Amino acid sequence: MNEILEQSLLYDFYGELLTAHQKEIYEQFILEDLSLSEIAEEAGISRQGVHDLIKRCNKILEGYEKKLHLVEKFLIIKGKVEKIDELLAQHNAKNSEVTLKEIRQISKEIIEEL
């Protein structure tokens, strides 16, 4: 997974746990794609201060993920739902009973993940 996507997912799941100031700076960098200089100028802090804050936020968010694994679980379930979609397309083409068994098995796995 590319770094920006990973940071965005971490922020989506755990961003509310950051302080208001951290959220504002992190959003500008990750979501709005502003440069460190642009953020520093707008926030009235140094470019190095912005860099340090973003690194600190990344470590905080990664720490939450190491403990809670919400992003990992989300990606696993997303993959299983995509597999169900593929199987349903095959089922419509073949009308196969085997496909329905696979869908039921994947559905059970998703429920267990939750």
Side-chain angles (χ1 to χ4, degrees), residues 25-39:
I25 300 297
Y26 200 76
E27 282 179 7
Q28 290 175 344
F29 185 72
I30 298 300
L31 304 179
E32 297 174 25
D33 200 27
L34 297 179
S35 70
L36 297 177
S37 299
E38 291 171 319
I39 297 168

Side-chain angles (χ1 to χ4, degrees), residues 8-58:
S8 294
L9 281 172
L10 288 171
Y11 182 76
D12 287 345
F13 279 87
Y14 307 112
E16 290 301 315
L17 301 172
L18 298 174
T19 67
H21 180 68
Q22 289 171 329
K23 281 175 42 177
E24 180 181 341
I25 300 297
Y26 200 76
E27 282 179 7
Q28 290 175 344
F29 185 72
I30 298 300
L31 304 179
E32 297 174 25
D33 200 27
L34 297 179
S35 70
L36 297 177
S37 299
E38 291 171 319
I39 297 168
E41 185 178 320
E42 188 175 311
I45 58 177
S46 71
R47 184 182 176 286
Q48 184 63 43
V50 173
H51 179 265
D52 292 345
L53 181 67
I54 290 168
K55 285 190 79 115
R56 194 171 337 118
C57 289
N58 281 333

